[in-house]
Each structure stands twice: as C-alpha cells, then as structure tokens.
Amino acid sequence: MDKYKYLFLLAIFFSAAKGGICVVIFFYYSDCLGSYYEQTEGKKLKKEILIYTLKASIFSILAFVSGFFDRYIFEYIGEKLSSKYKLNTFQKMMRMHMSFFDLKENSPGKLSESIIEKTNSINGVIFNFMSKMSEFIGLYVGEIILGFTISWEITVWFIAAFILITLISIFYVYFSSKVERLISSSQFGEILSDNLHNYITLNAYNAKQFWVNKLIVESDENHKYILIYQIIIGLSHGFILFWYFFFTGFLIYYTGRQYVNDKLTYDQVLNAFYGIATSLPVYVYSLRYIKTISKMKESINDLYKITNLQTEINPEIECQFNYNNFIGKIEFHNVSFCYPINPSNNILKNINLTIEPGDKIGIIGDSGCGKSTFTQLIQRFYDVSIGEILIDGINVKGHNLKQLRKNIGYIQQDPLIFDRNNFNNILYGKLDASRDDVENVAKLCNIDNKIGDSYISLSIGEKQRICIARALIKKPKILIFDESTSSLDDKNIEEIQKNLEKIIQELNCTIIMIEHKKNILKLCNKFIFLNEGQIEIKDKNDIFNNYLA
C-alpha cells in the first residue's frame, strides 16, 4: 500500500472534492430558485439566469474532473492491490507441500474460490467504500460549513441526526454481517455440488430424499438465529428511516416558523432543504458500505495468513550436485511412511531397496497398499516418516527439487490435460523445448498427427499418449508410470505397449511401472510386490503365474 499512498491521497482528495461540489450545487440550486421567486424585473432576471447557467457549466466541468479521477484512481489502486494479492497467494500455493492440500479445508477447489472471492473483495472495498466515504466527508464538512451560514440551530440538529443515524447504521451493519456469515457457513453449496457431481450414483441408490432431509435439518438450525437477527435488522432500518423523516419534519416546522418571523429568507429556507435535508439520504446510502470494512479486514487477514504460510518442503534448496551427471540410482533405507492427516496408519513399513540405473521395475499389489505413495516419495511430494531415500547417493531432502524433478518423468493414472492445444500440453514437460523436440516425442508416442489439434477431440488413449510425450520431452533418467493404463481398453493398451517398447529402446533410463496388465509388465525385468506396506522382491515367473493369473 505504501507504493500507492500518494495516489491514494489524491483519490481521496478528488472524492472529497466531488462531495463538496455536490453541497455547493445543492445550495446553488436553492439560490437559483429563490432568485426566480423574488425577482420580478425581466431584464435583471435574464441576466441572473445567464450567470447561473455559466456557473452550472463550471460546476459540471469540476464534477466531471473530480468524478473521473475519483473512480479511475480508486479502481486502479484496487485492481493493482487485488492483482498483487492474487499473484502472491498463487506463488505461495505453488510452493506448498503436498500434505497441505490433503486437508479438507485446503482442497484446491475451496482454496481457489476463497482466494478469488477475498482478492476481489479488496478491490470492491477500495473502490466502493473508500470512494463513497471520502465523498461523504467532503459532503458532510461542506454541509456543516454552509449550514452555519443559515442557522446554527439547524446545523446542530443536522449533526445530532447524523450521529444518531450513524450509530443505528453500525448496529444494522453488525447484525447484517452476522446473518451473512451464518448463510455463508451453510453447507448448501457443498451438498449441492457433491450431489450434482454424483447425480447418477445418487439416483442409483435412491439417496435423493436423504440429502434433501439433511439440507432441511441444517436450514432449520440456522433459520432460528437468522430470524432473530433479521428482526433486529428490520428494526434498525425502520429507525433510520424514522429519524430521517423526523428530522425533515422538524426542518419544515423550524424553517417555517423562522420564515414567518422574518428570521430566515426564502433563499435560506430553500438552502436548508436542498443543502441539508437532501444530503441525509446520500449519507444513509453510503453507510451500507460500512460492512465492507469487516469483509476487507477479514479478507486481508486470511490472505496475509496464506502468504505467510511456511512450506514443510523447500523446493529451492541449494545443492552442489552436478545434475548433468544424474544417473537415477534410487535407494530406500529403512523407510516408513504415514500421511500427516492420518499418522496412526503406516502406509509403508521399513522398506529397504536399491533400484539401479537402467532397471525396469514393475510394482504390483492390492489397491491402497502404497504403490503410488512409493513413487511420490521418490519425487519428494512427501517426506518419509522414518528412514531416508537416496538418489544418486544424496538424501532426497538435500536435492534441489526443481533440478531433481527435471530428471523424473511422471505419468499418472488419469491423463491430466491442460486447457491448451496438444502441442502446448506436450511442451509443459519442458517449456524451453524446440518444435522439433515436441514433434519427435509426439512421433515416438504415435500422436504426431494430433499435436496441432485441441485436446477436446482426443480419445482416452490419445490423451494418455500426450501425457507420455510430455514426460519424455524432458529426457528423464527416471520414468514413472502410475497405473497409466488402468482406464484404457485392450486396443489402447496394445497401442501404448508398442509405444513403450519404442521408448525403452530409445531411452537409457530407470523405469518404474505400477501396473496390472501382463502385456505392459512384460517390459520389466524386476518386480516388487507390495503387501500391507512391505515389499517382496519377486521374479518374473512368480509374478505372472501367481499374481497376474
């Protein structure tokens, strides 16, 4: 904010000036009407009309200048700060450790929605609240100054009405915010999203009424509190209107008596109504932005917490290892692991294993036995709970992760395609790769005729080959397939198998395959069977005869 403080002060000046101009215009209109009422001489009236018209033109130019710079500068500052927070939070999220996102409250969907909402609210507060409040300061100060030129009694009443309406409005905003928080804490959105996403399953098990009833129960629990708050909100709003019209009634009575007693002129009576009474609705309208202060404060606090989060895994640790000599030897020494969200459940237990450069390892085991976890630890998505993993003789915790992962290709079970064309999806693997590099790996994966197309037209098998090409363009020393054929039919598996045979001939790298398809596992020369978190080294015949039969 310090960077924009002078610009911010300039915006406040223009906004306050706009409010002050409004006061002058209110009084000017009343003077104009008073002149029409009192002036009987035609020539003199025509001359005054010309003067009033000229003044109106000057006011319109001043209003244009102040209005333009008020809106433009506040919008500019709001957008700059909003963009800054978005960038900072995005950069922080990109650095966070994987277990951070395992928590329900930190799911990518919820985080992205929350960050967008909070950064946008900052923009809205700066533009709406600061602009309106600065404008009203100018309006209010102008009213008081000009009010004393009419009658100090009217001005004192105006100040009293202003203070009273402000207090009631704060009360109103406080309970409005409570209602909004109760409504936002409702699980309606989560329940709706979850059930629409799983609509087929919901119908298949006749579970629709169950969730409807659940939503009714939750709504009833919140309704009783919301009802009480809404009664208070209604009373507060009613009191605001009451005091406004009560003050207007007093103004009618007081100015009428003063006019009859020749203590106020006709011009001054009009000034009281145009200049003072008409400003209160503007103020009441501006007060609705008060509650945005608490929203901005909450948003900034939440974003501040996010930007000050500390990652448990530093991706940019300095390492003296020369990655040009990376060969991909992997060693597990007494490795045990449990996920931080479930520390009582050991997924891997006392693993001791050495994978030599060039090994073709097949990993099999029941669902949930830790196969994917095994490969994620190699890439240091998580840190081991006990023991250590060495890659090329260096503890994985001592590697620079950016350099390490440049040498590891990773193909997941579900083909992850970005909203780009196929060429750019492959290029994601190595952003500085040439077009020839992309075309070569696309040809190796038998997808070269599709690289200029949109990903939307691809079959599942073609999408998976795009993912393989994306991993290959890095020319990795370690290539990991995490059940990458599990969702493919026999025809696609046959095509992938042919691609993999070519890949193994082309690349001199360590390959780790989590797989259950015989045709794919035939490409491996060593096998690991994972059972209840422990490994067993198996030979090919044992695996094919006893585990894949």
Side-chain angles (χ1 to χ4, degrees), residues 393-458:
I394 297 175
N395 191 314
V396 71
K397 293 180 180 180
H399 273 286
N400 179 289
L401 288 186
K402 185 176 180 180
Q403 295 298 327
L404 175 66
R405 291 171 184 168
K406 275 185 179 180
N407 288 280
I408 300 176
Y410 182 49
I411 300 100
Q412 296 167 262
Q413 179 175 350
D414 297 317
L416 178 58
I417 303 295
F418 295 93
D419 189 13
R420 301 287 186 273
N421 65 23
N422 299 330
F423 178 90
N424 286 310
N425 263 289
I426 295 173
L427 196 63
Y428 251 95
K430 187 181 179 184
L431 294 175
D432 59 349
S434 67
R435 185 170 189 87
D436 286 343
D437 291 336
V438 174
E439 290 175 351
N440 288 337
V441 293
K443 187 175 182 179
L444 186 61
C445 296
N446 196 25
I447 198 74
D448 51 306
N449 61 328
K450 297 278 188 176
I451 62 171
D453 297 347
S454 167
Y455 74 95
I456 297 173
S457 62
L458 298 178

Side-chain angles (χ1 to χ4, degrees), residues 295-362:
K295 284 186 178 180
M296 184 181 77
K297 183 180 178 182
E298 180 184 336
S299 297
I300 289 177
N301 285 338
D302 289 345
L303 291 171
Y304 181 79
K305 288 176 184 176
I306 290 175
T307 54
N308 283 277
L309 287 170
Q310 297 300 316
T311 181
E312 294 176 4
I313 297 177
N314 182 4
E316 297 175 358
I317 190 171
E318 291 186 10
C319 181
Q320 300 303 316
F321 181 75
N322 184 355
Y323 286 91
N324 292 325
N325 298 326
F326 190 92
I327 57 175
K329 181 178 180 180
I330 304 166
E331 301 170 73
F332 280 66
H333 295 311
N334 304 313
V335 170
S336 295
F337 175 78
C338 59
Y339 286 101
I341 58 172
N342 190 10
S344 61
N345 181 25
N346 271 343
I347 304 298
L348 298 176
K349 303 171 185 176
N350 198 32
I351 303 293
N352 285 283
L353 176 69
T354 298
I355 299 175
E356 297 291 345
D359 278 351
K360 310 295 183 287
I361 306 294

